[in-house]
Amino acid sequence: MIWSVPPRRALLLAAALLSGCAAAGTPSPATAPVAAEAAEPEGVFGSYLSGRFAQSETDTRAAADRLLDALRRDPDQPEVLSRAFAAALLDGRPEALRLARRLPQNQAAALLLVGSESLAGRWERAEQRVRALPRQGPSQVLQPLLLAWVQQGRGQTDAALATLRPLAEGGRLRGIHALHMALIADLAGRPREAERAIRIAMAETPDPSLRLLQVAAAILARAGREAEAMALVDGLARGLGDYALAAGTPAGRRALLETRPVSSAVEGIAESHLALAAALRQQGGGEATLILARLSLRLRPNFAPTLLLIAESYAEDRHPETALQALEGVPGGDPLAPVAALRRAALYDRMDQVELAEAALQRLAADLPNAPQPLLRLGDMLRARTRFPDAVTAYDGALARIATPGGGDWPLFYARGISHERAGNWPRAEADFQRALELAPEQPYVLNYLAYTWVERGERLPEARRMLERAVELRPNDGNIVDSLGWALFRMGDIPGALAALERAVELEPRNSVINDHLGDVYWAAGRQQEARFQWRRALGLEPEPEELAKITTKLRDGLPEPPAATAQRRD
C-alpha cells in the first residue's frame, strides 16, 4: 500500500516472520487427509491436526479453538505452542498476548508485546522491548519506525525525528521513513517539518497509494497549502478506480482533508505494521502479511485500510467467505466504506451469488448518484456472464454520470462496445470503439478489438492491418494481439507474414485454443497439411468454445474449406 520493498528482501522478511511464529499455512499431504476425515478428533494429536487443517482452510475461529485445545492438553510442546499463538493472533484472541510471553524468540510475539506495552502507556518498557528486537527479518525494517513512535509516545518528538532523519535523507527506504517523520511531526503540531518530510515521501513514491495521498493531503492542508491539498484530492476523485469513491462525495473529501491520519503514537505503530504488511502482500508474503495486519488491527481496531488489506489477501487466496467477514468490520461512515461495498459485491460474484452482487451494486449506485463505478462494475459482471444487453444498460447508466468523458474513461466505451458487438449491434459497437480511440488513440486493446472485428467482417482491411501493426508495436509480447495481426495478414493473402506472426503468437500463448486453430488454418493454406492437423488437434484439446469445437472437428475430417471460413472468435 505504501512501501516499496525489493522482492527478494520482502520474501526473506516474510520467511523470517513465519519461521519465528511457525504459523502454518497448508498442512502436509500426510496430515491433511487425516484431519479432513476425522469427524471427531480425539486427544492432543486430533486437536492439533484438525487445527492445522482449519488453518489451511483459513477458518481462523476453528483453528484457534482446536490449537488452543491442543495446547491445553499438552502445554509444554513447543510446536503446539507456536501454532496456537499464531492461530490466536490471526483470530484476534486475547490468549495471543499470554502465549506471546512464553515465546521469547518469536518475532511476531515480540512485536505483539511492544504493542501491548504501548497500549498500556508503558512507553519506557515498550522502548526496552523495541531496542531488544533482533536486527533481522521484519524487525530489521520495523525497529527504527517503532523506536521513533515509542519516543513520540514518551513525548520526545526531537528524538523521534532524529531517529528517522538519517534514514529519510539517505536510506534505502527513504520514502517510508520520510512518511513516518511527517506523521510524527504532524501529530506533534509541527506543520512545516511535516510538510518537508511528506514532500520527500511523495518524491520517493512515483505511484502513490491512496493512504499516502490521504496523508499528504491532510498534512499539506494543515500547513496552509490548501490548493495543493485539494489538487491531490481532486486527482484521486478522477478516474474509474475503486479508490476514487473515497473522494467522490463532499463528506469523503472533508474526511480526507480534515482528519488527522494518525492521532496517537499507538496508531503510528499500527501504521508501521500495516505498511510492512502491504509491502509483503505485493511480493506474495502470504500469512506473514496477515500476521502483521492483525498486529496493526489490535492497535487500531476497525481501521478500514487494514481491513481492506486483510480482505484482499483472503480473496487472492481463494477464501471469499473469510474476506467478507473482514469487510464487515469497515465502519459505515468511513471514506473507504463505498470501496468495501464494491469489494463485497465482487466477492458475491466470485461466490456465484449473482443476485446478491447485483443488489449490492444497485444499492451502492443509488447511494452514490454521481459515481460511475458501481454501474461500471455491474456492467463488467453482467458482460462476464454473457448478459450483454443488460451490461449495455449498466454501462449506459455509468456513462450518464460522467459529464465530460476524459482520457481515463476509455474503458467504459470499450466495455460497452464489446457488449454491443456481442449483442449483435455492430454499428453501436463500432461507434463506441472509435470513441474509445478518440479518448486514448494509442490504446492497444481497443486497436486490437476494432481492427480484428473489421478483419472478421472483411471491412477496412488495410486500415485494420495498420492498427494491428501499431498494437503489436505497443504490446509485442501479447499473444492475442500478435495473433490478430497474423489473422489479418492471412485474410489479406499474406501467407508468409501470417505464418511468422502466428508462430510467434503460439510461442507467446501456447495454450490458447483460438491461436492454435488459426495457425492450423495458415499451415493448411501453405500446403503443410500434416502440421495443420497437428495444430487443430492441439486446439481441440485446449477447451475451445462449443461452436468452435464443431468447426475444428470438421476441419480435422475434411480440411480447410476454400475460401477459408471466417471465424467469430474474440478476445477482450
Side-chain angles (χ1 to χ4, degrees), residues 87-249:
L89 178 60
L90 287 171
D91 198 47
R93 301 288 184 94
E95 291 93 334
L97 182 60
R98 173 176 56 82
L99 299 180
R101 302 185 188 281
R102 297 177 56 190
L103 294 165
Q105 304 304 315
N106 184 303
Q107 288 198 41
L111 294 173
L112 177 60
L113 291 172
V114 169
S116 176
E117 303 287 11
S118 302
L119 275 172
R122 297 189 289 265
W123 293 109
E124 185 175 353
R125 292 174 62 177
E127 183 171 340
Q128 291 171 357
R129 289 191 180 277
V130 169
R131 293 187 182 278
L133 288 171
R135 299 301 176 90
Q136 61 184 20
S139 301
Q140 181 182 5
V141 177
L142 284 174
Q143 198 269 351
L145 298 174
L146 297 179
L147 178 58
W149 280 112
V150 166
Q151 290 168 328
Q152 176 62 24
R154 299 185 69 178
Q156 300 170 352
T157 301
D158 290 337
L161 295 175
T163 294
L164 295 178
R165 187 171 289 109
L167 298 168
E169 293 176 350
R172 292 180 60 191
L173 298 173
R174 291 183 64 198
I176 188 63
H177 293 112
L179 170 63
H180 282 261
M181 275 190 71
L183 289 169
I184 289 170
D186 182 54
L187 180 61
R190 301 184 181 186
R192 295 303 172 210
E193 291 180 78
E195 180 187 351
R196 285 194 295 272
I198 200 62
R199 291 191 185 280
I200 295 174
M202 292 287 287
E204 290 293 314
T205 313
D207 187 19
S209 67
L210 168 70
R211 185 63 180 151
L212 180 53
L213 289 171
Q214 177 186 2
V215 172
I219 286 176
L220 290 172
R222 273 189 291 282
R225 313 293 186 188
E226 291 86 356
E228 194 173 353
M230 186 62 72
L232 286 178
V233 176
D234 287 342
L236 179 62
R238 287 193 295 269
L240 299 174
D242 292 0
Y243 287 117
L245 293 178
T249 64

Side-chain angles (χ1 to χ4, degrees), residues 434-458:
Q434 290 177 328
R435 181 70 174 115
L437 285 177
E438 289 175 11
L439 297 172
E442 294 282 271
Q443 220 306 312
Y445 300 112
V446 184
L447 289 169
N448 176 58
Y449 203 107
L450 177 57
Y452 182 85
T453 309
W454 279 339
V455 169
E456 287 295 287
R457 295 173 62 86

Side-chain angles (χ1 to χ4, degrees), residues 314-354:
Y314 280 128
E316 287 177 357
D317 204 27
R318 300 180 183 177
H319 295 289
E321 296 89 350
T322 313
L324 279 172
Q325 292 173 11
L327 291 175
E328 291 303 318
V330 176
D334 192 279
L336 288 175
V339 179
L342 277 183
R343 301 290 165 80
R344 273 195 294 273
L347 289 167
Y348 288 140
D349 181 32
R350 183 178 299 187
M351 296 164 66
D352 210 28
Q353 298 180 12
V354 182

Side-chain angles (χ1 to χ4, degrees), residues 345-346 349 353-359 361-362 374-397 415-416 418-420 422-423 572:
D349 181 32
Q353 298 180 12
V354 182
E355 290 184 2
L356 282 177
E358 194 168 351
L361 290 169
Q362 294 283 15
L375 294 175
L376 169 59
R377 300 298 179 269
L378 177 59
D380 290 344
M381 182 184 76
L382 297 172
R383 176 166 58 90
R385 294 178 177 276
T386 69
R387 292 170 55 183
F388 300 118
D390 292 336
V392 167
T393 300
Y395 291 134
D396 286 344
R416 190 174 69 174
I418 293 172
S419 301
H420 275 309
R422 298 294 180 87
D572 292 359

Side-chain angles (χ1 to χ4, degrees), residues 250-263:
R253 296 166 74 84
R254 284 195 302 273
L256 290 172
L257 288 171
E258 298 173 6
T259 303
R260 195 177 293 276
V262 167
S263 62

